[in-house]
Amino acid sequence: MKYRSPALLGAMLLSSGLIACSSSGGSSDDAASGRTVLDVWLMRDSVSDAFQKEFEAGFEKAHPEIDVKIQIQEWDGIGEKVTAALASNDAPDVIEVGNTQVAQYAQSGGLTDFTDKVAELGGDTWLKGLAEPGAYDGKQYGIPYYAANRVVVYRTDLFRKAGVDATTIKTRDQWIAATEKLNRGGTQGIYLPGQNWYALAGFVWDEGGDLAVREGGGWKGGLDSPEALRAMAFYQRLQALGKGPKDSDESQPPQAEVMAKGQIAQIIAAPGGAAVVTQNNPELKGKLGFFPIPGKTADTPGAVFTGGSDLVVPAVAAHQKEALTFLRELTGDTWQKKLALTMSYVPNRTTLAGAVSADPGAAAMAVGAANGHATPNTPQWAAVEAKNPIKDYMTAVLTGRDAGSAAATASRTITTTLNSGS
């Protein structure tokens, strides 16, 4: 799964559909100039036109022997297109993929192993939520590119009216107290739909649990662990402080549109959700702020699901050396800072968080990204999301079913799905 560009952030995309694989186009070297043509696939909204032109010019100035050709790909159907490219004899040299998609491509043996290049590429400071899903069976195939995650988007005017200072909200208990205070002023303290399972996952990680864990040679669903049950209890407590529906997620109805229409003080969303709010209600322009999802203690922000992208190199790519040069440049400090400032992304390493300090939304994301996580690193996780027993479980608890029983049922479904590979 993968976050979109800031203007479109706020929902996770699992691409589907079919696009026929075509030739990478221009993969042969430029014999006349003696330059190596490096074919690169980046995804729609990954970079702006201006950044792409600046990067290409800067890269080729630094490496005149390489002619980099970036082709922008659509997310719709990209999974099938990448799979076909990896199995072909005419694959591009570098491909951007969603961070949690790396495992499914690595499983086929179609990716170049960069384990011995991790230190050279600055892997000691990579964001865990990008680096961990970029690895498979102990080997590093995906190189972290950029990240995005959820924060709390709030109405500054409603907070001020209620006498709540958002900068003081560092812990879950403070968050609950502030939300209760907002409710007393006639405001809906928070709009939290019952099936925002990404938010629940963060609470599970905060408690020390996980959605699924390795057990023996397979996987076991983790929603019925004591840690996950505590997380669901907190989610239930927070959700009860608003009027969000118990049987739908943040996209049904779109929560940013709901916030735009009413006196709603907070939503949990990526910062791009604020743009959707003001688009639907221009009167709220300048009245929205951001803070990281609070953690259990003030010294650690709440855990978040890290969306974003990794860069991979097909094993059959013709220009492995040049591809590594490309990775070194685009994921290095200089271009990561420029990308973060241009696109309001979180840079790929913790040491660069300060690059977005002047962007309130991105700065809040960067704080949370330091405690970022990914979904269980198995190619079969996509099948779990397709069935999504987590959503059914959350609705069951919020509508009165016993949490332990509902969690056990959901965990069994996750276990069966992950171990059947279906």
Side-chain angles (χ1 to χ4, degrees):
M1 281 207 176
K2 160 84 173 55
Y3 272 109
R4 302 308 312 118
S5 67
L8 302 176
L9 289 175
M12 300 302 298
L13 278 182
L14 178 62
S15 300
S16 61
L18 179 63
I19 294 180
C21 180
S22 62
S23 168
S24 57
S27 60
S28 58
D29 295 343
D30 187 341
S33 67
R35 303 172 73 199
T36 298
V37 176
L38 191 74
D39 286 326
V40 178
W41 286 1
L42 297 184
M43 301 310 301
R44 177 70 61 194
D45 299 322
S46 167
V47 295
S48 66
D49 289 342
F51 178 89
Q52 180 179 334
K53 291 176 182 177
E54 182 184 4
F55 173 77
E56 288 177 346
F59 180 89
E60 292 180 2
K61 182 177 180 180
H63 306 282
E65 74 282 5
I66 302 174
D67 180 11
V68 63
K69 300 291 187 183
I70 295 175
Q71 300 179 50
I72 300 300
Q73 305 293 319
E74 303 296 336
W75 282 100
D76 185 27
I78 190 60
E80 292 83 355
K81 190 170 184 179
V82 171
T83 298
L86 296 180
S88 74
N89 293 319
D90 190 24
D93 298 295
V94 180
I95 304 176
E96 174 191 349
V97 300
N99 57 328
T100 59
Q101 297 171 341
V102 175
Q104 70 185 78
Y105 301 133
Q107 183 185 44
S108 69
L111 300 181
T112 296
D113 176 10
F114 287 107
T115 305
D116 63 342
K117 302 295 183 183
V118 169
E120 175 187 337
L121 294 170
D124 57 330
T125 59
W126 282 341
L127 294 178
K128 184 171 68 171
L130 292 178
E132 288 186 353
Y136 182 71
D137 277 352
K139 297 180 179 180
Q140 192 72 39
Y141 296 96
I143 306 304
Y145 179 21
Y146 67 86
N149 49 263
R150 287 168 173 77
V151 300
V152 180
V153 181
Y154 73 98
R155 287 272 300 269
T156 57
D157 56 334
L158 296 181
F159 269 56
R160 190 179 308 111
K161 179 181 177 182
V164 176
D165 182 356
T167 65
T168 66
I169 303 175
K170 304 297 183 183
T171 70
R172 284 188 190 175
D173 289 341
Q174 292 169 341
W175 193 16
I176 291 288
T179 305
E180 290 174 339
K181 189 173 183 180
L182 288 158
N183 276 337
R184 288 196 291 271
T187 295
Q188 185 176 169
I190 189 169
Y191 178 86
L192 179 60
Q195 296 182 346
N196 188 335
W197 70 275
Y198 292 109
L200 173 64
F203 302 151
V204 172
W205 293 320
D206 279 338
E207 295 289 349
D210 209 335
L211 303 177
V213 295
R214 284 193 176 277
E215 187 175 83
W219 287 86
K220 182 181 184 298
L223 294 178
D224 54 346
S225 69
E227 296 84 1
L229 288 171
R230 289 198 299 269
M232 186 63 219
F234 176 76
Y235 189 101
Q236 187 172 18
R237 184 181 175 196
L238 183 64
Q239 202 269 340
L241 296 178
K243 300 176 182 177
K246 294 178 171 61
D247 60 351
S248 64
D249 62 21
E250 59 269 40
S251 65
Q252 298 176 343
Q255 63 176 359
E257 295 180 13
V258 176
M259 188 180 197
K261 295 175 183 177
Q263 296 292 296
I264 294 172
Q266 307 171 83
I267 59 173
I268 298 173
V276 181
V277 173
T278 55
Q279 179 182 335
N280 282 272
N281 186 353
E283 292 183 3
L284 295 182
K285 188 173 183 179
K287 297 180 180 179
L288 297 175
F290 314 89
F291 61 87
I293 294 174
K296 294 188 71 176
T297 60
D299 58 342
T300 304
V304 292
F305 171 80
T306 301
S309 286
D310 282 8
L311 297 172
V312 299
V313 174
V316 297
H319 306 113
Q320 296 285 327
K321 179 181 176 181
E322 291 82 1
L324 178 61
T325 299
F326 180 92
L327 296 180
R328 189 183 299 114
E329 290 283 2
L330 188 53
T331 67
D333 286 9
T334 298
W335 289 105
Q336 278 291 301
K337 290 177 182 178
K338 291 183 178 182
L339 180 68
L341 290 171
T342 301
M343 304 299 294
S344 295
Y345 289 148
V346 177
N348 64 359
R349 63 196 71 216
T350 57
T351 51
L352 298 179
V356 292
S357 60
D359 183 326
M365 279 200 300
V367 173
N371 194 14
H373 296 252
T375 49
N377 192 10
T378 165
Q380 281 72 49
W381 184 256
V384 173
E385 291 192 17
K387 297 179 179 179
N388 218 320
I390 306 173
K391 288 186 175 184
D392 295 337
Y393 156 63
M394 296 172 74
T395 293
V397 174
L398 295 176
T399 54
R401 277 191 58 191
D402 175 70
S405 175
T409 298
S411 290
R412 283 194 297 271
T413 300
I414 292 173
T415 298
T416 299
T417 304
L418 292 182
N419 293 319
S420 66
S422 61

Short mmCIF file of all heavy atoms in Angstrom, two decimals, residues 353-377:
data_model
loop_
_atom_site.label_atom_id
_atom_site.label_comp_id
_atom_site.label_asym_id
_atom_site.label_seq_id
_atom_site.Cartn_x
_atom_site.Cartn_y
_atom_site.Cartn_z
N ALA A 353 14.74 14.68 9.13
CA ALA A 353 13.42 15.16 9.53
C ALA A 353 13.35 16.68 9.55
O ALA A 353 12.31 17.28 9.25
CB ALA A 353 13.04 14.59 10.90
N GLY A 354 14.45 17.33 9.88
CA GLY A 354 14.45 18.78 9.95
C GLY A 354 14.26 19.47 8.61
O GLY A 354 13.96 20.67 8.57
N ALA A 355 14.38 18.72 7.53
CA ALA A 355 14.24 19.32 6.20
C ALA A 355 12.84 19.85 5.95
O ALA A 355 12.64 20.72 5.10
CB ALA A 355 14.61 18.31 5.12
N VAL A 356 11.84 19.33 6.68
CA VAL A 356 10.45 19.75 6.47
C VAL A 356 9.92 20.54 7.66
O VAL A 356 8.71 20.67 7.84
CB VAL A 356 9.55 18.53 6.19
CG1 VAL A 356 9.88 17.90 4.86
CG2 VAL A 356 9.66 17.50 7.31
N SER A 357 10.81 21.09 8.47
CA SER A 357 10.39 21.79 9.68
C SER A 357 9.50 23.00 9.40
O SER A 357 8.69 23.39 10.24
CB SER A 357 11.61 22.23 10.50
OG SER A 357 12.44 23.10 9.74
N ALA A 358 9.64 23.60 8.23
CA ALA A 358 8.84 24.78 7.90
C ALA A 358 7.46 24.43 7.35
O ALA A 358 6.63 25.32 7.14
CB ALA A 358 9.58 25.65 6.88
N ASP A 359 7.19 23.15 7.11
CA ASP A 359 5.90 22.69 6.60
C ASP A 359 5.17 22.01 7.75
O ASP A 359 5.53 20.90 8.15
CB ASP A 359 6.13 21.71 5.45
CG ASP A 359 4.84 21.22 4.80
OD1 ASP A 359 3.83 21.06 5.52
OD2 ASP A 359 4.85 20.96 3.59
N PRO A 360 4.14 22.65 8.34
CA PRO A 360 3.51 22.10 9.55
C PRO A 360 3.00 20.68 9.40
O PRO A 360 3.19 19.85 10.30
CB PRO A 360 2.36 23.08 9.82
CG PRO A 360 2.79 24.36 9.19
CD PRO A 360 3.55 23.94 7.96
N GLY A 361 2.36 20.38 8.28
CA GLY A 361 1.83 19.03 8.09
C GLY A 361 2.93 18.00 7.95
O GLY A 361 2.91 16.95 8.58
N ALA A 362 3.92 18.31 7.12
CA ALA A 362 5.02 17.37 6.91
C ALA A 362 5.86 17.23 8.17
O ALA A 362 6.36 16.14 8.47
CB ALA A 362 5.89 17.84 5.74
N ALA A 363 6.02 18.32 8.94
CA ALA A 363 6.78 18.25 10.18
C ALA A 363 6.11 17.33 11.18
O ALA A 363 6.77 16.54 11.87
CB ALA A 363 6.95 19.65 10.77
N ALA A 364 4.77 17.40 11.26
CA ALA A 364 4.04 16.50 12.16
C ALA A 364 4.18 15.06 11.70
O ALA A 364 4.33 14.14 12.52
CB ALA A 364 2.57 16.91 12.22
N MET A 365 4.14 14.84 10.37
CA MET A 365 4.35 13.49 9.85
C MET A 365 5.73 12.97 10.20
O MET A 365 5.89 11.80 10.58
CB MET A 365 4.20 13.47 8.32
CG MET A 365 2.79 13.42 7.82
SD MET A 365 2.68 12.83 6.10
CE MET A 365 3.66 14.04 5.22
N ALA A 366 6.73 13.83 10.08
CA ALA A 366 8.10 13.40 10.33
C ALA A 366 8.30 12.94 11.77
O ALA A 366 9.03 11.99 12.03
CB ALA A 366 9.07 14.52 9.99
N VAL A 367 7.63 13.61 12.71
CA VAL A 367 7.73 13.19 14.11
C VAL A 367 7.16 11.78 14.26
O VAL A 367 7.77 10.90 14.87
CB VAL A 367 6.98 14.18 15.02
CG1 VAL A 367 6.93 13.63 16.46
CG2 VAL A 367 7.66 15.54 15.01
N GLY A 368 5.96 11.55 13.69
CA GLY A 368 5.35 10.23 13.77
C GLY A 368 6.13 9.18 13.02
O GLY A 368 6.20 8.02 13.44
N ALA A 369 6.74 9.57 11.92
CA ALA A 369 7.46 8.60 11.08
C ALA A 369 8.61 7.94 11.83
O ALA A 369 9.00 6.82 11.50
CB ALA A 369 8.00 9.29 9.82
N ALA A 370 9.14 8.63 12.83
CA ALA A 370 10.21 8.03 13.62
C ALA A 370 9.74 6.79 14.37
O ALA A 370 10.54 5.96 14.78
CB ALA A 370 10.76 9.06 14.61
N ASN A 371 8.41 6.67 14.55
CA ASN A 371 7.83 5.47 15.18
C ASN A 371 6.91 4.78 14.17
O ASN A 371 5.82 4.33 14.51
CB ASN A 371 7.06 5.85 16.45
CG ASN A 371 6.73 4.64 17.32
OD1 ASN A 371 7.26 3.55 17.14
ND2 ASN A 371 5.81 4.84 18.26
N GLY A 372 7.37 4.73 12.94
CA GLY A 372 6.57 4.15 11.86
C GLY A 372 6.73 2.64 11.76
O GLY A 372 7.78 2.08 12.09
N HIS A 373 5.69 1.98 11.31
CA HIS A 373 5.68 0.53 11.14
C HIS A 373 5.05 0.18 9.79
O HIS A 373 4.45 1.02 9.14
CB HIS A 373 4.86 -0.13 12.25
CG HIS A 373 5.41 0.05 13.62
ND1 HIS A 373 6.01 -0.97 14.33
CD2 HIS A 373 5.48 1.15 14.42
CE1 HIS A 373 6.40 -0.52 15.51
NE2 HIS A 373 6.08 0.77 15.59
N ALA A 374 5.17 -1.08 9.43
CA ALA A 374 4.52 -1.59 8.22
C ALA A 374 3.67 -2.80 8.59
O ALA A 374 3.81 -3.37 9.68
CB ALA A 374 5.56 -1.99 7.18
N THR A 375 2.80 -3.17 7.69
CA THR A 375 1.99 -4.36 7.90
C THR A 375 2.88 -5.60 7.84
O THR A 375 4.02 -5.53 7.37
CB THR A 375 0.89 -4.44 6.82
OG1 THR A 375 1.48 -4.25 5.53
CG2 THR A 375 -0.18 -3.38 7.04
N PRO A 376 2.41 -6.76 8.32
CA PRO A 376 3.25 -7.97 8.31
C PRO A 376 3.90 -8.20 6.95
O PRO A 376 3.23 -8.14 5.90
CB PRO A 376 2.24 -9.06 8.67
CG PRO A 376 1.29 -8.36 9.59
CD PRO A 376 1.12 -6.99 8.99
N ASN A 377 5.19 -8.48 6.97
CA ASN A 377 5.97 -8.54 5.74
C ASN A 377 5.87 -9.91 5.09
O ASN A 377 6.77 -10.74 5.17
CB ASN A 377 7.43 -8.21 6.06
CG ASN A 377 8.25 -7.96 4.80
OD1 ASN A 377 7.70 -7.86 3.71
ND2 ASN A 377 9.54 -7.86 4.95
#
